C-alpha cells in the first residue's frame, strides 16, 4: 500500500531535515510515527502525499500503490490524492478555510471524486457529517470554521478526508490542539471509522499514550531519523533505544503523578 | 474610537464627496467657463464660494475638481489593482530564482518615486488626466503586487490549501475559491489607503502643472492658482484644501475601518 524507502528531505541549504527514513503500511494497517517537535513528522507526512513545501526536496522513494509520490508526473499523483490517500492536520484552525462554510469544503472532494451534483451532493455532505457523529448537520454545513468548536472543526476535517473512502489516511497529530476529553472522543471516532471502512492509517503524534491508543506498528523518529521500530506494545514494554526509553519513562512518571493524586 | 466608527465616518466623508460629484453631472451652479461673475468676487450671493481670479465660479470649479479627484482614485485603483493583483499572484506562485527576481524587481519599482515616474511619462506623452492616472496606477501596481505576493505565499502555506490539493481541487479553482477570498480583506484595506494616496498624488501633479491641463479644474491646480491671492481671497485656497482633506481622510478612515474585516478573517 504505502512504502517509504530511504526518504531524505533537504532544505535549500542542503541540510537533511528527514534522513534515510524507511517504513511501510499495508492495506488496513495502522502505523504510528512518534517523535518530539521538529523531528520531521509533518514533513514525512507531506512527502507521503507528495506536497512538500516549496524549497524542500525529497530523495529516495515514496510509493502509494504503483504511484511514486516523489518522481514522475504530477498528473499521476493528483489521481492518487483524495482517492487513495487523504489527510487530517494538526491545527483545526488552519485545516479549514476560514472564509468557506464547512459544508462547501466537504463538498469539494465529493464533487470531484464521486461526481455528485445538486441534491445528491448535498445529501452526501450530510451523510459525511453524520458519519463523524455531528448532529444538526444542516447548521454545521452552513457554519464557518470560527463558528465551530475545535472538536467540531476536527470532525469536519475528518469527514472531508474520509468522504471519498481513501485507502490510507495520514493523520498528523489530529488531536494535539484539543483538550483531553475531546481528544479521547476524536480518537475513538477515528478508531471506529478506520475499522469500519478498512482504511489504513498512518498516525503521527508526539504523545506516546495517544499512539498506544490507535497505532500498532510504530516508528520512533528523532532528528529526522527512525531510531526504533516495533509494535507499540513492545515499545512500551521493552524500549530498545535510549530515546524511546525516555519517552516511555516520562509517560510513566506522568501516570504515576496522576495516580498519587488520585489515591 | 472603534474600527466600526472609523468605517462609518470614513464612508460618510467619501460619500459626501461622491454625492457632490454625482450632483455635478446633473447640475452645476454655472458653466465651467462662465466668467460673468467678475474677478475674485467674495463668497455669497449667486456665487456661494465666490469666483477665482479669472471670474469663474469657485463652487463649480470645486465640483469639477471632485470629478477629477474621484476619477483618479477609481482609475488608479483599477490600474494598480488589476496589474498588481496579476503580477502579485504570479510572483506568489513562483518558486526559487523566479520568485527572488520578482521580489527584487518589485522593491526597485517601489523605491522609484511616483511623482518622478509621472514626470517621465508626462515628458513622453504630455500632461493629461489619463497620463496622471496611468503613472499613479503603475506606481500603485508595484506596491499592490508586493503585498499580494506575500499574502499569497502566506495563504499557500496554510493547511486548508494542502487539504484542497489533496481533495484534488484544481489550481484555478484553489485561487478563485480559497486564495482570493482570503487575501481580499487585507487587499481591500490597502487599496482604500492607496486610493487616498492617489488623490494626493494627482493633486501634487496638478499643482506642479503635470496633471489635468486647464480649463479642467483639479483641486491641486486650484490650490496653485489660489496661491497668489491667498490673502485677499482665502476661500479660493481653503475650499479645495478642505475638499482634498475630506476625501483623503475619508478614504484613510475607511481603510482603517475595513481592518475590522481583516481581524474577522484571521479569527
Ligand atoms: N517549509 C519548510 N522549510 C524549511 N524548513 C522546514 C519547513 N517546514 C519544516 N521545516 C523544518 O523541518 C524540521 C522538521 O519539521 P516538521 O514540521 O516535520 O516537525 P514535526 O515533527 O512535525 O514537529 P511538530 O511536532 O512541532 O509538528 C524542523 O526543523 C523545521 O524547522
Ligand atoms: Mg508537525
Amino acid at each position: 500500500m504505502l512504502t517509504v524507502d530511504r526518504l531524505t528531505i533537504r532544505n535549500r541549504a542542503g541540510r537533511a531535515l528527514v534522513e534515510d527514513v524507511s517504513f511501510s503500511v499495508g492495506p488496513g494497517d495502522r502505523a504510528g510515527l512518534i517523535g518530539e517537535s521538529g523531528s520531521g513528522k509533518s514533513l514525512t507526512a507531506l512527502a507521503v502525499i507528495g506536497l512538500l513545501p516549496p524549497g524542500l526536496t525529497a530523495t529516495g522513494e515514496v510509493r502509494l500503490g504503483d504511484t511514486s509520490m516523489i518522481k514522475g508526473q504530477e498528473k499521476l499523483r493528483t489521481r492518487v490524492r483524495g482517492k487513495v490517500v487523504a489527510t487530517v492536520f494538526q491545527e483545526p484552525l488552519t485545516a479549514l478555510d476560514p472564509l468557506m462554510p464547512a459544508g462547501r469544503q466537504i463538498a469539494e472532494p465529493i464533487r470531484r471524486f464521486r461526481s455528485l451534483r445538486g441534491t445528491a451532493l448535498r445529501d452526501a455532505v450530510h451523510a459525511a457529517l453524520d458519519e463523524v457523529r455531528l448532529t444538526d448537520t444542516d447548521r454545521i454545513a452552513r457554519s464557518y470554521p470560527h463558528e465551530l468548536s475545535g472538536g467540531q472543526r476536527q470532525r469536519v476535517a475528518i469527514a472531508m478526508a474520509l468522504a471519498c473512502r481513501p485507502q490510507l489516511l495520514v493523520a498528523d497529530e489530529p488531536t494535539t490542539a484539543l483538550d483531553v476529553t475531546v481528544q479521547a472522543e476524536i480518537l475513538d471516532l477515528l478508531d471506529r471509522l478506520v475499522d469500519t471502512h478498512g482504511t489504513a492509517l498512518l498516525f503521527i503524534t508526539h504523545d506516546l499514550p495517544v499512539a498506544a491508543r490507535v497505532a500498532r506498528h510504530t516508528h520512533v523518529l528523532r532528528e529526522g531519523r527512525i531510531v526504533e521500530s516495533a509494535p507499540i506494545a513492545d515499545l512500551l514494554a521493552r524500549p530498545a533505544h535510549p530515546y524511546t526509553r525516555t519517552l516511555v519513562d516520562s509517560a510513566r512518571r506522568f501516570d504515576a503523578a496522576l495516580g498519587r493524586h488520585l489515591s | 474610537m472603534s474600527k466600526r466608527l472609523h468605517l462609518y465616518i470614513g464612508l460618510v466623508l467619501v460619500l459626501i464627496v461622491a454625492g457632490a460629484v454625482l450632483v455635478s453631472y446633473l447640475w452645476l451652479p454655472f458653466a465651467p467657463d462662465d466668467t460673468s461673475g467678475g474677478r475674485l468676487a467674495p463668497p455669497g450671493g449667486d456665487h456661494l464660494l465666490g469666483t477665482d481670479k479669472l471670474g469663474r465660479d469657485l463652487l463649480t470649479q470645486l465640483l469639477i475638481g471632485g470629478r477629477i479627484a474621484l476619477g483618479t482614485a477609481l482609475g488608479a485603483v483599477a490600474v494598480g489593482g488589476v496589474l498588481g493583483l496579476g503580477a502579485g499572484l504570479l510572483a506568489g506562485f513562483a518558486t526559487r530564482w523566479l520568485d527572488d527576481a520578482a521580489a527584487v524587481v518589485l522593491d526597485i519599482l517601489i523605491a522609484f518615486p511616483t511623482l518622478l515616474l509621472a514626470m517621465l511619462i508626462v515628458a513622453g506623452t504630455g500632461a493629461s488626466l489619463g497620463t496622471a492616472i496611468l503613472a499613479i496606477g503603475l506606481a500603485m501596481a508595484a506596491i499592490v503586487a508586493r503585498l499580494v505576493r506575500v499574502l499569497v505565499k502566506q495563504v499557500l502555506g496554510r493547511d486548508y490549501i494542502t487539504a484542497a490539493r489533496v481533495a484534488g481541487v484544481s489550481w484555478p479553482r484553489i485561487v478563485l475559491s480559497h486564495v482570493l477570498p482570503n487575501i481580499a480583506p487585507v487587499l481591500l484595506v490597502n487599496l482604500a489607503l492607496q486610493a487616498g494616496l492617489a488623490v494626493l498624488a494627482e493633486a501634487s501633479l496638478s499643482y506642479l502643472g503635470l496633471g489635468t491641463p486647464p480649463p479642467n479644474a483639479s483641486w491641486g491646480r486650484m490650490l496653485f492658482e489660489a496661491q497668489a491671492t491667498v490673502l485677499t481671497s482665502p476661500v479660493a485656497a481653503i475650499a479645495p484644501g478642505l475638499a482634498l482633506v475630506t476625501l483623503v481622510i475619508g478614504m484613510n478612515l475607511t481603510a482603517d475601518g475595513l481592518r475590522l474585516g481583516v481581524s474577522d478573517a484571521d479569527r
Side-chain angles (χ1 to χ4, degrees):
Chain A
M1 160 92 266
L2 167 69
T3 44
V4 177
D5 187 24
R6 274 174 292 162
L7 170 69
T8 300
I9 301 172
R10 289 176 195 282
N11 63 10
R12 255 182 235 218
R15 197 167 81 83
L17 303 169
V18 168
E19 206 170 358
D20 230 8
V21 162
S22 305
F23 63 91
S24 61
V25 184
D29 263 5
R30 291 161 166 224
L33 195 57
I34 185 165
E36 65 199 342
S37 184
S39 56
K41 305 184 295 291
S42 293
L43 290 185
T44 307
L46 290 173
V48 166
I49 53 176
L51 291 177
L52 278 177
L56 300 184
T57 46
T59 50
E61 182 60 297
V62 173
R63 287 194 158 275
L64 269 168
D66 301 329
T67 313
S68 166
M69 300 309 278
I70 289 182
K71 303 172 195 130
Q73 286 179 300
E74 173 66 15
K75 208 171 71 191
L76 298 176
R77 288 193 281 277
T78 310
R79 257 180 239 160
V80 166
R81 286 182 207 124
K83 245 192 230 163
V84 179
V85 64
T87 43
V88 180
F89 294 102
Q90 174 170 352
E91 261 305 322
L93 252 182
T94 56
L96 298 174
D97 186 336
L99 297 180
M100 195 185 266
R104 267 186 61 202
Q105 304 198 45
I106 298 178
E108 276 182 340
I110 300 178
R111 186 186 6 242
R112 173 145 193 285
F113 295 111
R114 284 160 58 186
S115 309
L116 298 179
R117 299 283 186 277
T119 28
L121 179 60
R122 228 188 62 118
D123 290 346
V125 168
H126 284 257
L129 287 171
D130 224 27
E131 186 165 44
V132 291
R133 299 291 136 88
L134 281 168
T135 48
D136 201 1
T137 51
D138 262 325
R139 185 180 66 81
I140 303 269
R142 268 183 283 111
S143 299
Y144 288 90
H146 75 263
E147 298 166 333
L148 300 173
S149 74
Q152 285 171 331
R153 273 192 289 248
Q154 211 54 316
R155 282 170 199 262
V156 169
I158 293 173
M160 185 173 162
L162 292 181
C164 295
R165 302 276 173 268
Q167 296 161 30
L168 171 69
L169 179 68
V170 179
D172 186 0
E173 308 206 44
T175 61
T176 301
L178 307 172
D179 68 55
V180 186
T181 44
V182 181
Q183 189 170 345
E185 283 169 26
I186 299 284
L187 288 178
D188 281 345
L189 178 74
L190 262 182
D191 200 38
R192 184 150 20 90
L193 286 177
V194 164
D195 245 6
T196 32
H197 299 303
T199 319
L201 182 66
L202 175 59
F203 191 89
I204 297 175
T205 180
H206 66 266
D207 194 353
L208 198 61
V210 167
R213 244 181 125 127
V214 274
R216 290 199 196 107
H217 204 84
T218 296
H219 312 276
V220 182
L221 199 60
R222 187 182 189 211
E223 286 165 9
R225 290 173 162 275
I226 290 185
V227 294
E228 185 172 1
S229 295
I232 187 80
D234 295 357
L235 278 185
L236 287 171
R238 292 176 294 280
H241 193 273
Y243 175 64
T244 319
R245 222 169 295 142
T246 54
L247 283 181
V248 175
D249 285 347
S250 66
R252 288 253 151 77
R253 266 201 301 280
F254 181 72
D255 257 5
L258 259 187
R260 262 204 312 280
H261 280 286
L262 290 178
S263 61
Chain B
M1 253 198 304
S2 77
K3 292 261 183 262
R4 203 170 289 278
L5 199 58
H6 283 206
L7 183 64
Y8 291 152
I9 296 177
L11 283 177
V12 165
L13 293 181
V14 172
L15 285 178
I16 287 174
V17 176
V21 166
L22 279 184
V23 167
S24 83
Y25 282 104
L26 304 172
W27 173 83
L28 280 172
F30 289 88
D33 52 358
D34 184 343
T35 55
S36 61
R39 297 174 171 218
L40 295 175
D46 282 350
H47 298 278
L48 210 56
L49 296 178
T51 61
D52 67 3
K53 63 183 177 193
L54 295 176
R56 294 173 302 190
D57 179 54
L58 266 180
L59 181 58
T60 305
Q61 304 266 310
L62 198 64
L63 289 171
I64 291 177
R67 292 179 189 173
I68 290 172
L70 272 189
T72 308
L74 289 177
V77 166
V79 171
V82 169
L83 290 183
L85 185 61
L89 276 175
L90 285 181
F93 276 93
T95 51
R96 285 166 177 266
W97 64 268
L98 193 59
D99 182 38
D100 297 339
V104 172
V105 168
L106 287 177
D107 280 340
I108 291 175
L109 283 179
I110 287 165
F112 205 77
T114 309
L115 288 184
L116 198 59
L117 177 68
M119 286 179 200
L120 286 177
I121 297 184
V122 168
T125 63
S128 76
L129 181 57
T131 320
I133 290 179
L134 188 68
I136 297 169
L138 283 178
M140 193 191 295
I143 296 173
V144 172
R146 183 168 67 170
L147 176 70
V148 168
R149 170 180 168 273
V150 174
L151 291 174
V152 166
K153 290 217 176 289
Q154 244 170 39
V155 170
L156 286 183
R158 302 260 161 85
D159 286 342
Y160 57 79
I161 299 293
T162 310
R165 292 191 65 191
V166 173
V169 184
S170 65
W171 273 124
R173 224 187 136 85
I174 286 181
V175 169
L176 279 181
S177 58
H178 294 293
V179 177
L180 287 182
N182 276 289
I183 69 172
V186 179
L187 188 60
L188 274 182
V189 170
N190 192 259
L191 287 181
L193 272 180
Q194 299 288 335
L197 291 176
V199 169
L200 277 180
E202 192 280 328
S204 312
L205 283 175
S206 294
Y207 183 89
L208 295 173
L210 297 170
T212 335
N216 292 309
S218 145
W219 292 341
R221 233 196 44 255
M222 289 174 75
L223 281 171
F224 174 75
E225 285 172 0
Q227 219 169 216
T229 57
V230 69
L231 291 178
T232 47
S233 63
V235 177
I238 292 172
L242 215 56
L244 199 57
V245 168
T246 305
L247 185 57
V248 173
I249 290 189
M251 285 170 164
N252 284 354
L253 283 177
T254 303
D256 205 33
L258 284 173
R259 281 182 222 273
L260 195 70
V262 174
S263 38
D264 258 5
D266 276 353
R267 199 167 44 199

